[in-house]
Amino acid sequence: MRNRVSRGLIALTTVVALLVVYSTTTASADTISSGDRVCSMYVNSIGFGAFCSSGEASSGGYVPTWKERLGNNVFIPCRDFEIPKGIHLGPPPEDKKWVLRVTIEDYDLNRVDGGEAVHLERAIVPVGGDEENQCPTRGYMDRFWKQFSSTYPDPALQVRPTYVPRVNIPTYFALTRESSVIFKNDLASPDLNSALYNQSFNLTMRGLVTEMKVDPGDGSPPITCAMGVAKEGDDGYDETSDPFHQMSTCSHKYKKSSASQPDGMYTVKLTITWTVDYWKGGPAWNPVGTAVVHAVQRLPVQEVEAIGG
């Protein structure tokens, strides 16, 4: 049975950290052409998109390293963003606010592309004045963030039947709709490098989460969940039935609470498979490829034999 995704939100009030690690180990591409227009589409574990040209050869030239692009400026590897849709947190500590802090890690300033190991790490953290000043936004850093501009949305883990799982009660996992489907139909532009490669139709790309493996973090083997996108308001969990009689198979039963774990929470590891297709005016979507994204979610589990809120 396919575990489906909805727009429903679960208030993860005691989840204080979300970490996502992007690597570029998986990649695939496809090319389409029309007249003198050639569009190359790509998908990897950072994101997906398309580059188009008029067929004219590029002149090439010298490409500066990251250090050379910096000049006399200081490299600032982190930036703060608003909390992603689908994740609701409790009140932050006094005089602080919740932010999504994204950091460029394992970069090599002596490389033109940041190096083979460069990737993003993301954490939801409370910050005050001093912490905010650690990651100031400077315009000269924009060029270094552009290579990550087509990333997948932050995975927002949905947990049922309660936002804090209970021992010996099945816990069901899903992703919110906002974090499991992407449509890119804004690729069109008169610019020669855009995806407007034919006057009769434009290139549209779609990314869907088609599989999610969940390592519950308690020593149990991972579970594999087939994913898809359901109608709005349907998340595959039936509120009229108890947790022991559900159609979804994307579930795990914790045997012990997380009290003895670091910060009192299990570390749940997610392996998310994105499948990317494109549409150019025909009756069906055409496959481009797949990519895998790894994420880590901190999850508290309580030693309570009831299903309260």
Side-chain angles (χ1 to χ4, degrees):
M1 179 62 63
R2 295 180 66 84
N3 182 35
R4 293 170 294 174
V5 179
S6 80
R7 296 181 181 273
L9 305 181
I10 295 297
L12 302 175
T13 57
T14 58
V15 176
V16 297
L18 169 67
L19 174 67
V20 183
V21 180
Y22 293 103
S23 64
T24 56
T25 55
T26 303
S28 59
D30 199 359
T31 301
I32 55 177
S33 61
S34 176
D36 64 351
R37 302 286 298 171
V38 178
C39 293
S40 297
M41 295 166 288
Y42 69 90
V43 50
N44 56 40
S45 56
I46 291 180
F48 66 91
F51 298 101
C52 298
S53 71
S54 62
E56 298 177 358
S58 173
S59 60
Y62 177 75
V63 180
T65 65
W66 278 22
K67 180 181 292 186
E68 290 170 332
R69 293 181 182 183
L70 269 177
N72 295 324
N73 296 310
V74 176
F75 190 81
I76 305 173
C78 57
R79 282 191 175 182
D80 292 341
F81 301 89
E82 294 183 358
I83 300 299
K85 293 181 179 180
I87 296 181
H88 285 184
L89 301 169
E94 187 176 358
D95 297 328
K96 294 191 176 184
K97 64 180 181 180
W98 292 110
V99 299
L100 171 65
R101 175 156 292 183
V102 184
T103 306
I104 304 175
E105 296 283 353
D106 296 335
Y107 54 88
D108 184 350
L109 294 180
N110 293 312
R111 292 279 297 267
V112 299
D113 58 359
E116 296 179 357
V118 66
H119 65 275
L120 297 182
E121 292 188 3
R122 304 172 180 235
I124 292 178
V125 294
V127 299
D130 292 339
E131 291 91 353
E132 284 188 89
N133 292 333
Q134 295 171 356
C135 301
T137 298
R138 298 290 184 264
Y140 67 82
M141 284 296 303
D142 291 347
R143 67 184 68 183
F144 302 100
W145 288 95
K146 283 183 179 179
Q147 82 171 71
F148 304 107
S149 62
S150 297
T151 57
Y152 300 105
D154 309 296
L157 188 64
Q158 198 165 226
V159 184
R160 306 294 294 271
T162 58
Y163 61 81
V164 176
R166 309 302 172 90
V167 170
N168 291 325
I169 301 294
T171 298
Y172 293 85
F173 301 103
L175 294 175
T176 63
R177 183 183 181 93
E178 290 85 356
S179 66
S180 59
V181 57
I182 312 172
F183 284 92
K184 290 189 175 182
N185 54 10
D186 57 351
L187 299 167
S189 166
D191 188 278
L192 290 178
N193 294 320
S194 78
L196 182 60
Y197 71 98
N198 187 291
Q199 293 297 325
S200 61
F201 48 77
N202 300 331
L203 173 65
T204 300
M205 300 186 72
R206 175 187 68 185
L208 296 174
V209 174
T210 53
E211 182 181 275
M212 179 174 68
K213 291 184 179 179
V214 182
D215 182 341
D218 60 352
S220 302
I223 57 176
T224 299
C225 308
M227 304 293 287
V229 179
K231 295 180 179 179
E232 184 174 351
D234 182 3
D235 64 359
Y237 188 87
D238 186 0
E239 294 283 0
T240 64
S241 299
D242 63 70
F244 298 93
H245 300 88
Q246 294 289 326
M247 297 180 67
S248 172
T249 59
C250 190
S251 67
H252 175 69
K253 188 184 294 184
Y254 286 95
K255 300 297 185 181
K256 295 174 56 179
S257 77
S258 57
S260 62
Q261 301 297 309
D263 299 321
M265 292 181 284
Y266 284 116
T267 299
V268 180
K269 298 179 181 179
L270 307 177
T271 302
I272 299 167
T273 299
W274 282 90
T275 298
V276 175
D277 304 280
Y278 71 92
W279 180 84
K280 60 184 184 68
W285 289 87
N286 302 283
V288 178
T290 61
V292 172
V293 175
H294 299 283
V296 175
Q297 175 79 52
R298 306 297 305 283
L299 191 65
V301 176
Q302 291 186 356
E303 189 83 43
V304 179
E305 302 286 343
I307 310 177

